[in-house]
Every structure is written in C-alpha cells, then in structure tokens.
Amino acid sequence: MTLKLIKNSNDYAEALKQIQRLLENVEAKGVADFERIELLSYLIEKYEKETLKVALPTPVEAIRFAMDQSGLRQQDLVPFIGSKSRVSEVLSGKRPLTLSMIRGLHEGLGIRADVLLQEPGETLPSRISVDDYPVREMHKRNWFSGFPSDWKDAKDHKEEMLQSLFQGRENDPIGARNRQSLKSKSKVDENALHAWRCFVIDKAMSKKLPTYDPNSLNDEFISWLKMSSRLPDGPLKAIEEIEERGIPVVIEERLDKTFLDGAAIQLPDGRPMIGLTLRYNRLDNFWFTLFHELAHVKLHLGTSNNEGYWDTDIDSTSENAEEREADEFALNSFISDSDWEEIRDLKTAEEIRDKAKQLMIHESIIAGRLRREAQDYRRHRTLVGQGQVKKLFKLE
C-alpha cells in the first residue's frame, strides 16, 4: 500500500480503508505499523480540516457529551441553566437556550460558544434589538416562561426573553389575515404585531385538538354557530365547537399600536387557527370578527399567496377581493339580502329584538349592522352588548 497526499474524495475513501485494515491487523494479528497509521491519520485529519465541512453537533448533543466526559448528572447543570425543570426541557429539546444559559455552559463546562449558538447548517442568530419591541408589556402578560416575574429582576434579560419567544422567527414572514381597525394617520407597529402572531401561534400549537377536517365547516355548522349567538354563553359555545373541529382559537389582547381585531393564520403544521383580541369588547364586533376569520379559514387559507396582509377598517368597505368576500360571508351568514331589506328601516329597540328573535340571532348583530351601514355609532348603544365579551372569557 503506497502512501500519497489526499486530494479528492476517492483518495479520502481509500485512505480510510487503509487505516481500517491496519487497525484490524493490530487487533487480529498483533502486527502494528504505527508509523504508517500515524501518517495516514495525519493525512486524513488534514484533508478533513481543509476540505470537508463537518457539521457541528447540536447544542443538546454538545451538552450531553460534556456531561458524559465529566460524569455529570442533570442536576449538576442547574447552576448553568437555572432549575431542574429547565434542564429537563433543554435536554429534551423543548426549551431553547437563552443567552444567560449559553454563557453559563460556555464558561462552566467549556462548551464552544459557536456550538451552543448555532444549529447544524444554520448561521449564528442575529442580535435582537430589544428597543423594537414592547418587552415590558409582553412580560406583564406572562408571555415569557422561565424568567423572573418581577420586572426589576427580568428587565436585564430582555434579549433572552425575546429569543425564547421568537426561537429564530424574528425575521420570518407569517401568513396571516389580520382584521384591523385603522384610523387615517395610524402607523402599525409591525414588530409588536409579529410578536403577537408568534405568541398566539405557540398557544395554538400547544392545544390538543381533534384532527382538522375542512369539510366540517359546512352550512349546517355555520347555521348552528349563527343560532348560538342567542345563547347567554354563545361566544364560549361557539369557540368550543370550532375547536372540536380541529381549529385552535386563541384570545389574546392586542399590543399597543397594532389596531388588531382578529387574524386567521396558517400554522406550521398546516392547520388553520383563529386569533381574537376582543379589542372593542362588544358582542356585535365579536360575532362579525369571528365569522370574518372563519371565512378566511373556509375560503382562503392555503389557497393563495402565503403572506400576511391587513384587513381594512372593520367599519368601512374593504378594498381587497378576499376581504370583501370575508365581509360578505360574515354579514350574509347572519342577515340575508332579503332580510336586510326588512331590517334596514328598523328604529326602535323593540323592533330590533323582535326581528332578532324571528331570525334566531342575537339582537346585537342587527344593531351593529344598522350602526355600521349608517356609520353612526351613537345608535342602539344598549343593544350591541358593550362590555359583555371579556366578562364571558373572564378577562376582566
């Protein structure tokens, strides 16, 4: 067997075969050509360093290797990671490493920082600008698990908290249909909106629901939802039945400067979800927004460009074709065109209640439609269910 420089993959494969045969001779015959083994090892290592791109181990693999080398148990990692439960979550892949954990493991166990920061085949994560996000408000809402509950203690961990929320998604577009109410000069805080999306997606993904079947959103079910609006706990019943059909519904108040009423989002596993903010806390708004987002789930998610866009003002005419379709679905599911001709001239609360009873829908839906069409929100204030929705969901 001749020795030569390793210049390509064929030379590399042949060198590996040679060193394997030499090692087998040592084991089987006691014959050892240590000089040749040493030289081949050098040539192989040189080629690997200069030519091959060897994948880094994952952070979990690196941590477990360090544990094996030092004879450590899981509880020995508590000083570096924070608690027994966090150690267990990190080692099982359920919790990403925060910057403080990475520093502790690097300094305490000598694990390379680039290994802890970088997944195989991925680039190092970019630094998150904490000033771009309403971190204090997010912390107040308990969006970050595993961090101090007192803001005085938590504020020094802003970047780690954001990284725990985004998990690399800070720059990823999320396909969503967002119902917003925008004043003419309002500017949307897109960072806060993106953070809200990530949070509700994670909450939706954590729900254990039946398998989603698009055919379950049939006319019969939509009709039942419409009639459930008359029930005292109609919003609760409606969400319960929607989730029984495999569609997670997450209620999370909007962040400041997002002007958000609701969103229909395609989850990473392909399922649809609905997010609601209960921004106006009125029954008429709840039912219109819920049915609007259901229309996106039923008609649009997975069928068009998977980029987020704004729904237009909830109280104005939508310009986008899919928005018009979703608006029409929400309006016509409760009140048909022919019924509207009879409703549009109703004036008194008694007339509205009688018509709502006849159509088997809540009076707030008729009152809200009359207000919307007239663009006069002083009308029928006692009929739209002001302040009732958040009480139902125990958010007040």
Side-chain angles (χ1 to χ4, degrees), residues 5 23 49 56 68 78 136 144 234 238 243 252 273 278 290 293 304 310 338 355 362 380 383:
L5 292 176
L23 293 173
K49 286 182 177 180
L56 291 173
D68 290 340
V78 170
R136 185 168 187 172
F144 309 113
E243 291 197 326
E252 181 63 36
M273 71 154 289
L278 308 186
L290 179 66
E293 304 309 339
S304 61
W310 310 131
S338 59
K355 191 61 179 179
H362 196 274
H380 313 304
L383 301 180

mmCIF file of all heavy atoms in Angstrom, residues 5 23 49 56 68 78 136 144 234 238 243 252 273 278 290 293 304 310 338 355 362 380 383:
data_model
loop_
_atom_site.group_PDB
_atom_site.id
_atom_site.type_symbol
_atom_site.label_atom_id
_atom_site.label_comp_id
_atom_site.label_asym_id
_atom_site.label_seq_id
_atom_site.Cartn_x
_atom_site.Cartn_y
_atom_site.Cartn_z
ATOM 1 N N LEU A 5 -0.630 11.957 -0.899
ATOM 2 C CA LEU A 5 -1.480 13.039 -0.427
ATOM 3 C C LEU A 5 -2.947 12.773 -0.790
ATOM 4 O O LEU A 5 -3.241 12.198 -1.852
ATOM 5 C CB LEU A 5 -1.034 14.370 -1.042
ATOM 6 C CG LEU A 5 0.324 14.917 -0.598
ATOM 7 C CD1 LEU A 5 0.650 16.180 -1.381
ATOM 8 C CD2 LEU A 5 0.316 15.211 0.896
ATOM 9 N N LEU A 23 -5.618 -1.179 11.377
ATOM 10 C CA LEU A 23 -6.138 -1.342 12.732
ATOM 11 C C LEU A 23 -6.646 -2.761 12.960
ATOM 12 O O LEU A 23 -6.513 -3.320 14.055
ATOM 13 C CB LEU A 23 -7.253 -0.319 12.998
ATOM 14 C CG LEU A 23 -6.783 1.152 13.045
ATOM 15 C CD1 LEU A 23 -7.996 2.079 13.139
ATOM 16 C CD2 LEU A 23 -5.849 1.374 14.232
ATOM 17 N N LYS A 49 -9.981 18.793 7.716
ATOM 18 C CA LYS A 49 -9.968 20.179 8.161
ATOM 19 C C LYS A 49 -10.020 21.143 6.984
ATOM 20 O O LYS A 49 -10.677 22.183 7.037
ATOM 21 C CB LYS A 49 -8.726 20.457 9.002
ATOM 22 C CG LYS A 49 -8.780 19.872 10.396
ATOM 23 C CD LYS A 49 -7.524 20.237 11.176
ATOM 24 C CE LYS A 49 -7.591 19.708 12.602
ATOM 25 N NZ LYS A 49 -6.371 20.062 13.375
ATOM 26 N N LEU A 56 -21.475 20.802 12.807
ATOM 27 C CA LEU A 56 -21.339 20.963 14.249
ATOM 28 C C LEU A 56 -22.384 20.123 14.960
ATOM 29 O O LEU A 56 -23.480 19.914 14.434
ATOM 30 C CB LEU A 56 -21.537 22.431 14.630
ATOM 31 C CG LEU A 56 -20.455 23.425 14.202
ATOM 32 C CD1 LEU A 56 -20.925 24.836 14.518
ATOM 33 C CD2 LEU A 56 -19.142 23.136 14.880
ATOM 34 N N ASP A 68 -21.155 13.460 29.746
ATOM 35 C CA ASP A 68 -20.524 12.128 29.744
ATOM 36 C C ASP A 68 -19.047 12.216 30.095
ATOM 37 O O ASP A 68 -18.513 11.401 30.864
ATOM 38 C CB ASP A 68 -20.694 11.478 28.373
ATOM 39 C CG ASP A 68 -22.140 11.077 28.098
ATOM 40 O OD1 ASP A 68 -22.917 10.949 29.068
ATOM 41 O OD2 ASP A 68 -22.496 10.911 26.917
ATOM 42 N N VAL A 78 -27.924 22.548 36.880
ATOM 43 C CA VAL A 78 -28.784 23.604 37.421
ATOM 44 C C VAL A 78 -28.054 24.942 37.556
ATOM 45 O O VAL A 78 -28.605 25.991 37.195
ATOM 46 C CB VAL A 78 -29.396 23.173 38.774
ATOM 47 C CG1 VAL A 78 -30.087 24.351 39.455
ATOM 48 C CG2 VAL A 78 -30.394 22.030 38.551
ATOM 49 N N ARG A 136 -41.711 45.090 28.075
ATOM 50 C CA ARG A 136 -42.290 45.189 29.420
ATOM 51 C C ARG A 136 -43.765 44.780 29.417
ATOM 52 O O ARG A 136 -44.221 44.079 30.327
ATOM 53 C CB ARG A 136 -42.137 46.613 29.960
ATOM 54 C CG ARG A 136 -42.605 46.747 31.405
ATOM 55 C CD ARG A 136 -42.189 48.060 32.025
ATOM 56 N NE ARG A 136 -42.495 48.090 33.448
ATOM 57 C CZ ARG A 136 -42.109 49.053 34.274
ATOM 58 N NH1 ARG A 136 -41.379 50.070 33.799
ATOM 59 N NH2 ARG A 136 -42.424 49.009 35.554
ATOM 60 N N PHE A 144 -43.433 35.261 28.722
ATOM 61 C CA PHE A 144 -42.119 34.626 28.799
ATOM 62 C C PHE A 144 -42.076 33.688 30.006
ATOM 63 O O PHE A 144 -42.043 34.150 31.148
ATOM 64 C CB PHE A 144 -41.023 35.685 28.936
ATOM 65 C CG PHE A 144 -41.093 36.785 27.915
ATOM 66 C CD1 PHE A 144 -41.393 38.085 28.312
ATOM 67 C CD2 PHE A 144 -40.860 36.542 26.580
ATOM 68 C CE1 PHE A 144 -41.449 39.113 27.384
ATOM 69 C CE2 PHE A 144 -40.921 37.555 25.639
ATOM 70 C CZ PHE A 144 -41.218 38.849 26.040
ATOM 71 N N GLY A 234 -73.071 32.206 24.371
ATOM 72 C CA GLY A 234 -72.867 31.882 22.964
ATOM 73 C C GLY A 234 -71.429 31.957 22.495
ATOM 74 O O GLY A 234 -70.948 31.027 21.821
ATOM 75 N N ALA A 238 -69.474 28.801 20.911
ATOM 76 C CA ALA A 238 -69.014 28.862 19.524
ATOM 77 C C ALA A 238 -67.546 28.455 19.417
ATOM 78 O O ALA A 238 -67.176 27.633 18.560
ATOM 79 C CB ALA A 238 -69.211 30.273 18.978
ATOM 80 N N GLU A 243 -63.223 24.575 18.012
ATOM 81 C CA GLU A 243 -62.052 23.776 18.385
ATOM 82 C C GLU A 243 -62.337 22.280 18.298
ATOM 83 O O GLU A 243 -61.423 21.494 18.050
ATOM 84 C CB GLU A 243 -61.582 24.170 19.783
ATOM 85 C CG GLU A 243 -60.990 25.580 19.830
ATOM 86 C CD GLU A 243 -60.153 25.839 21.063
ATOM 87 O OE1 GLU A 243 -60.483 25.290 22.134
ATOM 88 O OE2 GLU A 243 -59.162 26.598 20.951
ATOM 89 N N GLU A 252 -56.196 36.720 22.753
ATOM 90 C CA GLU A 252 -55.083 37.459 23.339
ATOM 91 C C GLU A 252 -55.220 38.918 22.939
ATOM 92 O O GLU A 252 -55.281 39.238 21.754
ATOM 93 C CB GLU A 252 -53.740 36.909 22.856
ATOM 94 C CG GLU A 252 -52.532 37.618 23.434
ATOM 95 C CD GLU A 252 -52.420 37.479 24.945
ATOM 96 O OE1 GLU A 252 -52.774 36.396 25.479
ATOM 97 O OE2 GLU A 252 -51.967 38.438 25.604
ATOM 98 N N MET A 273 -55.712 28.467 12.262
ATOM 99 C CA MET A 273 -56.065 28.909 13.604
ATOM 100 C C MET A 273 -56.717 30.283 13.502
ATOM 101 O O MET A 273 -56.574 30.982 12.494
ATOM 102 C CB MET A 273 -54.842 28.992 14.511
ATOM 103 C CG MET A 273 -53.884 30.130 14.186
ATOM 104 S SD MET A 273 -52.901 30.708 15.611
ATOM 105 C CE MET A 273 -54.157 31.542 16.585
ATOM 106 N N LEU A 278 -60.541 40.783 20.999
ATOM 107 C CA LEU A 278 -61.679 41.370 21.725
ATOM 108 C C LEU A 278 -61.454 42.864 21.938
ATOM 109 O O LEU A 278 -61.775 43.419 22.983
ATOM 110 C CB LEU A 278 -61.905 40.670 23.064
ATOM 111 C CG LEU A 278 -62.019 39.145 23.033
ATOM 112 C CD1 LEU A 278 -62.390 38.624 24.409
ATOM 113 C CD2 LEU A 278 -63.021 38.672 21.994
ATOM 114 N N LEU A 290 -65.387 37.026 14.353
ATOM 115 C CA LEU A 290 -65.270 35.565 14.343
ATOM 116 C C LEU A 290 -65.681 34.994 12.995
ATOM 117 O O LEU A 290 -64.971 34.156 12.415
ATOM 118 C CB LEU A 290 -66.130 34.954 15.452
ATOM 119 C CG LEU A 290 -66.110 33.423 15.529
ATOM 120 C CD1 LEU A 290 -64.726 32.921 15.929
ATOM 121 C CD2 LEU A 290 -67.159 32.910 16.500
ATOM 122 N N GLU A 293 -63.121 35.828 10.198
ATOM 123 C CA GLU A 293 -61.940 34.963 10.207
ATOM 124 C C GLU A 293 -62.288 33.537 9.798
ATOM 125 O O GLU A 293 -61.489 32.853 9.147
ATOM 126 C CB GLU A 293 -61.267 34.995 11.582
ATOM 127 C CG GLU A 293 -60.866 36.373 12.088
ATOM 128 C CD GLU A 293 -60.043 37.191 11.104
ATOM 129 O OE1 GLU A 293 -59.431 36.606 10.185
ATOM 130 O OE2 GLU A 293 -60.016 38.426 11.241
ATOM 131 N N SER A 304 -53.953 30.830 -1.476
ATOM 132 C CA SER A 304 -53.381 31.997 -2.141
ATOM 133 C C SER A 304 -52.016 32.298 -1.565
ATOM 134 O O SER A 304 -51.471 31.542 -0.772
ATOM 135 C CB SER A 304 -54.308 33.205 -1.988
ATOM 136 O OG SER A 304 -54.477 33.520 -0.618
ATOM 137 N N TRP A 310 -53.123 43.254 5.652
ATOM 138 C CA TRP A 310 -54.089 43.853 6.558
ATOM 139 C C TRP A 310 -55.490 43.717 6.016
ATOM 140 O O TRP A 310 -55.745 43.992 4.859
ATOM 141 C CB TRP A 310 -53.813 45.349 6.765
ATOM 142 C CG TRP A 310 -52.411 45.688 7.125
ATOM 143 C CD1 TRP A 310 -51.631 46.634 6.550
ATOM 144 C CD2 TRP A 310 -51.625 45.084 8.139
ATOM 145 N NE1 TRP A 310 -50.410 46.661 7.146
ATOM 146 C CE2 TRP A 310 -50.372 45.720 8.117
ATOM 147 C CE3 TRP A 310 -51.849 44.062 9.058
ATOM 148 C CZ2 TRP A 310 -49.354 45.376 8.992
ATOM 149 C CZ3 TRP A 310 -50.837 43.721 9.921
ATOM 150 C CH2 TRP A 310 -49.613 44.373 9.888
ATOM 151 N N SER A 338 -82.354 39.627 1.478
ATOM 152 C CA SER A 338 -83.807 39.854 1.547
ATOM 153 C C SER A 338 -84.230 40.267 2.962
ATOM 154 O O SER A 338 -85.088 41.146 3.134
ATOM 155 C CB SER A 338 -84.565 38.587 1.120
ATOM 156 O OG SER A 338 -84.224 37.488 1.952
ATOM 157 N N LYS A 355 -87.207 41.235 15.563
ATOM 158 C CA LYS A 355 -86.625 40.701 14.331
ATOM 159 C C LYS A 355 -85.496 39.719 14.640
ATOM 160 O O LYS A 355 -85.353 38.684 13.976
ATOM 161 C CB LYS A 355 -86.098 41.842 13.455
ATOM 162 C CG LYS A 355 -85.719 41.413 12.047
ATOM 163 C CD LYS A 355 -86.923 40.854 11.295
ATOM 164 C CE LYS A 355 -86.567 40.431 9.878
ATOM 165 N NZ LYS A 355 -87.724 39.869 9.156
ATOM 166 N N HIS A 362 -78.679 37.015 17.789
ATOM 167 C CA HIS A 362 -78.646 37.967 18.901
ATOM 168 C C HIS A 362 -78.971 39.372 18.396
ATOM 169 O O HIS A 362 -78.566 39.765 17.300
ATOM 170 C CB HIS A 362 -77.278 37.956 19.572
ATOM 171 C CG HIS A 362 -77.275 38.605 20.915
ATOM 172 N ND1 HIS A 362 -77.097 39.966 21.086
ATOM 173 C CD2 HIS A 362 -77.446 38.084 22.167
ATOM 174 C CE1 HIS A 362 -77.149 40.257 22.369
ATOM 175 N NE2 HIS A 362 -77.347 39.135 23.056
ATOM 176 N N HIS A 380 -78.302 52.802 19.101
ATOM 177 C CA HIS A 380 -78.514 51.464 19.677
ATOM 178 C C HIS A 380 -77.367 51.026 20.603
ATOM 179 O O HIS A 380 -76.984 49.845 20.611
ATOM 180 C CB HIS A 380 -78.709 50.435 18.567
ATOM 181 C CG HIS A 380 -79.667 50.862 17.502
ATOM 182 N ND1 HIS A 380 -80.973 51.236 17.793
ATOM 183 C CD2 HIS A 380 -79.525 50.982 16.158
ATOM 184 C CE1 HIS A 380 -81.591 51.558 16.655
ATOM 185 N NE2 HIS A 380 -80.739 51.421 15.654
ATOM 186 N N LEU A 383 -77.874 47.966 22.806
ATOM 187 C CA LEU A 383 -78.204 46.685 22.166
ATOM 188 C C LEU A 383 -76.994 45.923 21.641
ATOM 189 O O LEU A 383 -77.126 44.764 21.255
ATOM 190 C CB LEU A 383 -79.182 46.923 21.002
ATOM 191 C CG LEU A 383 -80.524 47.578 21.336
ATOM 192 C CD1 LEU A 383 -81.353 47.734 20.064
ATOM 193 C CD2 LEU A 383 -81.281 46.746 22.366
#
